Amino acid sequence: MGWGAHGHGPRVWRVVIRALGVDPRERALLDDARALGITGVDAIRRADLVFIRGDLDDRVRARLLDELLVDSLLQSAVIDDAPAPERGVRIVETALHAGVTDPVAAEIMRAAALLDIKLDGAATGRRYDIEGSALSNGAMNRLARRLLANPVVEHWSLGEVTPSFADGSDANAPVDIVAIRDLEGSGLRKLNRERGLALDLEELRTIQRWFTSAGRDPTDVELETLAQTWSEHCAHKTFRAEITLDGGERVDTLLDQLRAATASIGAPWVRSAFVGNAGIVDFDGDLIAVKAETHNHPSAVEPFGGANTGVGGVIRDVLGVFARPIATTDVLCFGPADLDPAALPEGVLHPRRVRSGVVAGVADYGNKIGLPTVAGAVLYDPGFTANPLVFCGCIGRLPTDRADTNQPHVGDRIVVIGGRTGRDGIHGATFSSMAMDATTGDIAGASVQIGDPIVEKLLIELLTDAGHLATAITDCGAGGLSSAVGEMAAGIGADVELALVPLKYQGLAPWEIWLSEAQERMVLSVPDVGPLAELCARRGVEWSDIGSFTGDGRLIVRHRGHVVADLDIDFLHDGRPQRHLTGERQRPSTNELTRPLPSDANSVLLALLSHPNIASKARIIRRYDHEILGSSVVRPLTGARADGPGDGVVLAEPRSKSGIAIGIGVNAWYGEHDAARMAEAVVDEAIRNAVVAGADPDRIALLDNFSWGDPTRPATLGSLVAAVEGCARAAITHGAPFVSGKDSLNNEYLGFDGERHAVPPTLVITAVGHVPDASAVSSPDIKAAGDRLYLLGRSLAEFAGSHFDLVAGTDTGAGCVPAADPDAPTRYRQLHRALRSGLVRAAHDASEGGLAVTLSEMAIGGLLGVEVYLDTIASDYATALFSESAGRVVVEVASEDAQAFVSMMEGHAVEIGRVTTAPRIVMHPVIDVDLDAARAAFIGDDA
């Protein structure tokens, strides 16, 4: 039966929508339930719930089902009728908490209005019919909490759930004065903790002194503005800190080191680096914007929403330099999928749950918005169990007249376009700047954002036409309007009226409106609002003029005419005291150390091919549309059956001769041993992946993304310093400038054991390179029997952090991480010339698992065999097979082209074997594996 909202008001109608036939989500839920140790469940059936509030007659209800809610070819539905469960079936229903963004409900309201159907409200949820024996209420609640609902954003019921609608009070929420001037150190710390400001004591005292000199205490709006602007997430305090290492060694700030590397390279094709929302490069008149972000903490507490809005946020970063997005990337790091649920830390979601939510969130945003997700990686490690890492990237293309102009003018109007403002995302910047503990999920609900890709798609289309109408633009991301307007107002000042900001619902306090990180919003500086308003009306994008840029050097924020914040803009951006940090210089081993070769090398190879970090990611990759827009020339899956692994990818416009290549480098296991060599290795890997796909090694730009633990711990800071120094050296060596980056620190979890658990030091490098000829590209899968196989690069006994050590049980930490090869840049240039000359049939970089895995992957993709001779590679077989030395590429060349290829490589290519028709992977004298067995190990459940 229907019911009134909270017992009164318009009637609420309940719609239960089920898929016709087999719903693949149900099998996945059952597999996850069993993997999580939830026993007694035989089947799970899922239905979608829609709650409609309004006075609806029979005709209107029929129209809702037929014209709006149900696809009769794929779904069936009932309205205002909850079928009684069958015998032996229990019910769990879920719905979103009040205030959590519900984009499906918003689209229902919008579509109903277009159909001239008047509704008072809509909300969505899910229904699960659980079949099983002896399912007690306790077991059902465990199933709901661990798998079916996320308490951070949802509530559930064993039976019919009561929906929440976005109502809210229309009361004029007060502005609080925060008494700070008379607080001592303990009082400041308490204030910091209670308000979640994520500031240190010296920063709090600096704020205290400023307001003391002003003769007043701050409003909550002012204090929250300073906290988000000075947060680690926004201010990059560690990367701007003064750092002293043990022994008194001073180092340049980390940000200055990266900037200095780019400046020393002096690439004339770099148009913008380390300023604005994204880096910009000019590849022969093709202006490309690039950015990569992290969304780690939000993805830990609400995986779908965290990853979903990570994608949406980085797309808006590219929009924030007037570029049109053309592709996205993602690198995902999870705990082991087979983790024993009993070993799960308190308050932490199981890695299977995190993975399913994150992958769904990435797929939902990219697929709905119509952008291909083309490159990335998926890593598994126990260190990511409580702190999953989600790296989202975006590439865009700019009009040639917008690369150097993004500055507001005095007198310009401040216009907000896109989504409405709600409580979602409040404190997101400060929340992401703190370590998490077992209570994080209980308190972080307001820090979780929910995306609406349809609204963002409208923004993209609008800004394609409206870019010339604005003098400046920025994403309304971390810190919300506070950050967006505050940053744009740097050096000039602004005056804003919060009552003009469109809200999702009433009752928000001024500081909540100002700090909300509600998604799909952009802020523009506009000389004349009229033409923009006309375009917004045509595109169906909401807009609001909320103030102006003043030129008086102050940030004035009003609410219904009353000043709720008055800050000096220079103090806001430059008043934060510089941090002084102490680190311990890393002193890792640089000694090579051979490993014994196990007696059964075949089993080691198969174990490596099936290892979660090496095995096929096709099941995840195929969740993403990587073909949309028709520009994918080299794809993430390659080979005869499109199930072989790719290296870099290549995008090219249908009528363009040139294109761009994208490569990714990441290896957290090296970071635990030697952060400097790890950084050099992943820079090399990203560049190598782009080059083997077709990129010109002299036209490659880099993005850096650091995810580390607590930088106030000296050992952690020391490893971060080493990684930055490695990045700078590698960039200079390769002549590849950094143009943008992001750090995500404090990726730690404070468990009930009282110990902090940090992620492995994880650096993701994205390389974006110019492909001068999009027809001269390559993929890793071998092409023809009889072709020759060549190895470029040296193979040394460098095993620390290797996957061979993980699989063979020799992971003692002894030996060294692979060192950078100084000859690699020369080889890459020679390889690029050979590729453009048509001499390369296939090329594959050697990374995790060494050459044995590299050659196997080439064979798996090409459905052909390989026969190689290990004595041509290294003096011992373990090194020849499983070392992960940097800078290496295996190249397939037709026999008739062999002499020309060897000549072009100028002594940097060693012939190691041939492609065969026999479906075997033979590496004389120790490995002989059937190709089908190798495919089964690598592809596994993805077959």
Side-chain angles (χ1 to χ4, degrees):
M1 298 294 292
W3 62 89
H6 309 292
H8 58 83
R11 184 173 179 176
V12 175
W13 302 87
R14 188 174 190 279
V15 186
V16 182
I17 305 172
R18 296 188 184 277
L20 295 175
V22 176
D23 186 338
R25 299 174 298 183
E26 296 175 350
R27 179 66 199 182
L29 284 169
L30 182 60
D31 290 344
D32 284 345
R34 290 171 175 169
L36 293 173
I38 301 172
T39 59
V41 178
D42 298 324
I44 301 177
R45 298 197 303 274
R46 168 177 167 150
D48 295 316
L49 300 178
V50 177
F51 303 98
I52 301 294
R53 188 170 62 182
D55 296 323
L56 313 178
D57 58 27
D58 292 345
R59 184 183 65 83
V60 171
R61 295 200 302 274
R63 287 190 65 200
L64 279 174
L65 293 182
D66 296 341
E67 301 178 36
L68 181 58
L69 299 179
V70 181
D71 183 337
S72 60
L73 293 176
L74 303 174
Q75 298 168 309
S76 64
V78 293
I79 187 167
D80 201 32
D81 183 17
E86 304 166 20
R87 185 177 179 83
V89 175
R90 301 290 304 276
I91 304 299
V92 174
E93 291 191 349
T94 71
L96 294 170
H97 294 321
V100 174
T101 298
D102 190 339
V104 176
E107 285 304 303
I108 289 171
M109 294 296 292
R110 185 185 67 83
L114 292 175
L115 293 172
D116 198 26
I117 299 174
K118 185 180 184 305
L119 306 179
D120 293 312
T124 64
R126 296 185 301 275
R127 172 189 169 101
Y128 301 95
D129 294 60
I130 317 297
E131 295 181 21
S133 58
L135 292 174
S136 65
N137 285 351
M140 293 296 294
N141 277 308
R142 284 196 304 275
L143 180 64
R145 184 175 62 254
R146 287 188 177 184
L147 180 63
L148 304 180
N150 185 347
V152 173
V153 294
E154 294 171 305
H155 57 280
W156 72 82
S157 174
L158 303 184
E160 292 189 16
V161 73
T162 301
S164 299
F165 293 91
D167 295 321
S169 167
D170 195 22
N172 187 9
V175 175
D176 291 336
I177 303 298
V178 183
I180 191 175
R181 286 180 292 171
D182 297 328
L183 294 179
E184 300 296 333
S186 60
L188 290 171
R189 291 189 184 94
K190 180 181 179 183
L191 174 69
N192 186 58
R193 183 173 60 254
E194 290 177 346
R195 294 196 72 98
L197 302 177
L199 297 172
D200 63 30
L201 186 58
E202 182 55 34
E203 291 162 348
L204 289 163
R205 284 175 172 157
T206 299
I207 293 171
Q208 184 184 54
R209 287 192 293 269
W210 192 86
F211 281 100
T212 298
S213 67
R216 64 183 180 87
D217 283 312
T219 66
D220 53 2
V221 180
E222 291 169 325
L223 187 59
E224 296 285 354
T225 299
L226 287 162
Q228 74 79 23
T229 304
W230 291 10
S231 69
E232 180 71 81
H233 185 84
C234 293
H236 312 292
K237 293 184 282 194
T238 298
F239 269 67
R240 299 176 189 272
E242 181 181 273
I243 297 174
T244 304
L245 298 179
D246 48 343
E249 178 189 3
R250 291 280 189 90
V251 298
D252 291 339
T253 71
L254 304 181
L255 186 56
D256 283 346
Q257 290 185 51
L258 295 170
R259 284 174 165 165
T262 292
S264 70
I265 294 167
W269 41 270
V270 173
R271 295 287 292 267
S272 176
F274 295 105
V275 295
N277 289 288
I280 303 173
V281 294
D282 183 348
F283 291 151
D284 292 344
D286 191 11
L287 295 183
I288 301 296
V290 291
K291 183 63 179 289
E293 281 275 8
T294 55
H295 232 222
N296 301 337
H297 281 31
S299 299
V301 297
E302 210 304 281
F304 179 90
N308 195 247
T309 54
V311 175
V314 78
I315 290 172
R316 291 195 306 278
D317 282 329
V318 166
L319 287 174
V321 292
F322 294 105
R324 183 180 180 91
I326 59 172
T328 62
T329 67
D330 69 292
V331 174
L332 313 176
C333 304
F334 306 119
D338 59 356
L339 180 71
D340 182 353
L344 198 64
E346 183 70 23
V348 172
L349 298 174
H350 193 278
R352 289 180 69 99
R353 173 76 182 281
V354 174
R355 180 179 64 183
S356 62
V358 166
V359 171
V362 172
D364 177 83
Y365 216 97
N367 293 354
K368 285 182 179 176
I369 208 168
L371 289 176
T373 302
V374 294
V378 183
L379 284 62
Y380 298 91
D381 188 272
F384 300 128
T385 297
N387 290 273
L389 304 181
V390 175
F391 302 84
C392 302
C394 187
I395 298 91
R397 185 168 276 116
L398 284 79
T400 56
D401 60 343
R402 292 311 311 239
D404 304 309
T405 56
N406 198 358
Q407 180 62 45
H409 300 157
V410 173
D412 282 354
R413 304 302 301 176
I414 302 170
V415 178
V416 181
I417 62 173
R420 289 188 162 224
T421 298
R423 286 195 172 91
D424 36 357
I426 290 175
H427 276 161
T430 51
F431 161 60
S432 295
S433 302
M434 298 183 288
M436 298 190 295
D437 60 30
T439 65
T440 295
D442 297 330
I443 64 175
S447 299
V448 175
Q449 311 141 333
I450 304 295
D452 190 343
I454 303 304
V455 172
E456 190 139 313
K457 175 64 172 175
L458 294 174
L459 279 179
I460 292 173
E461 301 306 321
L462 171 73
L463 292 172
T464 299
D465 296 334
H468 66 287
L469 300 176
T471 58
I473 185 174
T474 195
D475 164 35
C476 198
L481 292 169
S482 169
S483 174
V485 177
E487 290 177 6
M488 293 178 77
I492 55 175
D495 194 315
V496 173
E497 172 53 72
L498 295 179
L500 299 174
V501 177
L503 304 180
K504 295 178 181 179
Y505 38 81
Q506 298 302 310
L508 273 66
W511 76 268
E512 292 176 312
I513 300 172
W514 187 230
L515 270 292
S516 168
E517 296 177 15
Q519 296 292 287
E520 289 77 44
R521 299 178 301 163
M522 303 291 292
V523 178
L524 282 70
S525 172
V526 182
D528 182 1
V529 175
L532 177 64
E534 293 176 8
L535 271 178
C536 286
R538 289 207 299 270
R539 290 289 189 183
V541 175
E542 193 164 10
W543 67 277
S544 181
D545 180 346
I546 66 169
S548 66
F549 293 103
T550 58
D552 62 5
R554 302 199 71 80
L555 179 62
I556 308 295
V557 183
R558 308 173 192 273
H559 185 246
R560 300 186 179 178
H562 301 288
V563 174
V564 297
D566 183 353
L567 292 171
D568 180 83
I569 204 75
D570 291 335
F571 176 69
L572 177 64
H573 292 294
D574 302 321
R576 179 184 58 80
Q578 186 180 27
R579 274 192 168 174
H580 301 272
L581 299 174
T582 301
E584 296 175 359
R585 170 67 75 181
Q586 277 199 328
R587 295 174 177 85
S589 170
T590 57
N591 297 321
E592 297 174 31
L593 185 64
T594 59
R595 298 290 195 266
L597 183 68
S599 58
D600 187 355
N602 289 345
S603 295
V604 173
L605 174 57
L606 293 175
L608 283 166
L609 289 171
S610 64
H611 192 283
N613 292 322
I614 295 174
S616 172
K617 308 302 186 300
R619 176 172 290 184
I620 291 176
I621 293 170
R622 288 188 174 118
R623 292 287 301 277
Y624 313 142
D625 190 333
H626 50 267
E627 300 283 352
I628 196 167
L629 300 183
S631 62
S632 302
V633 178
V634 178
R635 298 160 178 81
L637 294 172
T638 66
R641 297 180 182 171
D643 58 6
D647 288 327
V649 298
V650 174
L651 305 176
E653 293 295 304
R655 289 178 293 277
S656 175
K657 177 186 176 184
S658 63
I660 59 172
I662 304 165
I664 303 289
V666 55
N667 193 311
W669 307 280
Y670 292 171
E672 294 188 303
H673 297 274
D674 187 334
R677 283 193 173 186
M678 177 267 284
E680 292 175 296
V682 299
V683 168
D684 176 86
E685 182 185 16
I687 292 172
R688 190 173 1 129
N689 281 335
V691 170
V692 298
D696 179 351
D698 290 318
R699 293 278 186 98
I700 290 180
L702 302 176
L703 307 176
D704 61 80
N705 286 95
F706 296 84
S707 284
W708 247 249
D710 181 359
T712 64
R713 186 182 296 111
T716 302
L717 180 63
S719 73
L720 183 59
V721 169
V724 171
E725 291 173 344
C727 280
R729 281 195 300 272
I732 293 170
T733 297
H734 287 277
F738 285 99
V739 296
S740 184
K742 186 74 174 68
D743 59 282
S744 172
L745 306 179
N746 299 297
N747 287 287
E748 300 198 349
Y749 185 86
L750 181 62
F752 284 151
D753 59 1
E755 298 295 325
R756 287 186 178 273
H757 308 273
V759 298
T762 306
L763 169 64
V764 173
I765 298 293
T766 305
V768 180
H770 178 52
V771 177
D773 184 354
S775 65
V777 297
S778 76
S779 60
D781 50 299
I782 50 180
K783 306 299 192 300
D787 284 355
R788 302 187 187 189
L789 297 171
Y790 290 88
L791 172 62
L792 316 184
R794 62 193 188 183
S795 300
L796 306 176
E798 302 167 312
F799 285 95
S802 69
H803 274 68
F804 172 74
D805 271 0
L806 290 176
V807 166
T810 53
D811 187 15
T812 64
C816 62
V817 166
D821 185 345
D823 294 329
T826 298
R827 288 199 304 275
Y828 297 164
R829 292 183 180 96
Q830 293 166 341
L831 175 61
H832 180 64
R833 288 196 295 272
L835 202 154
R836 292 201 67 183
S837 299
L839 302 177
V840 175
R841 281 196 165 169
H844 192 19
D845 86 308
S847 54
E848 289 84 3
L851 286 175
V853 168
T854 301
L855 289 159
S856 299
E857 289 176 339
M858 296 178 78
I860 289 168
L863 295 180
L864 291 166
V866 296
E867 184 174 16
V868 301
Y869 297 86
L870 299 181
D871 291 334
T872 64
I873 297 170
S875 58
D876 74 278
Y877 295 144
T879 297
L881 289 167
F882 303 120
S883 165
E884 296 178 6
S885 291
R888 297 182 301 166
V889 179
V890 176
V891 180
E892 176 192 8
V893 178
S895 292
E896 60 267 26
D897 294 328
Q899 184 175 351
F901 175 75
V902 171
S903 175
M904 190 167 288
M905 293 305 301
E906 299 178 2
H908 286 123
V910 175
E911 185 174 351
I912 61 172
R914 298 201 178 210
V915 180
T916 67
T917 55
R920 305 199 68 79
I921 298 167
V922 181
M923 304 179 190
H924 295 293
V926 295
I927 282 184
D928 188 343
V929 171
D930 181 77
L931 181 59
D932 286 341
R935 280 182 57 84
F938 179 76
I939 296 176
D941 291 339
D942 285 340

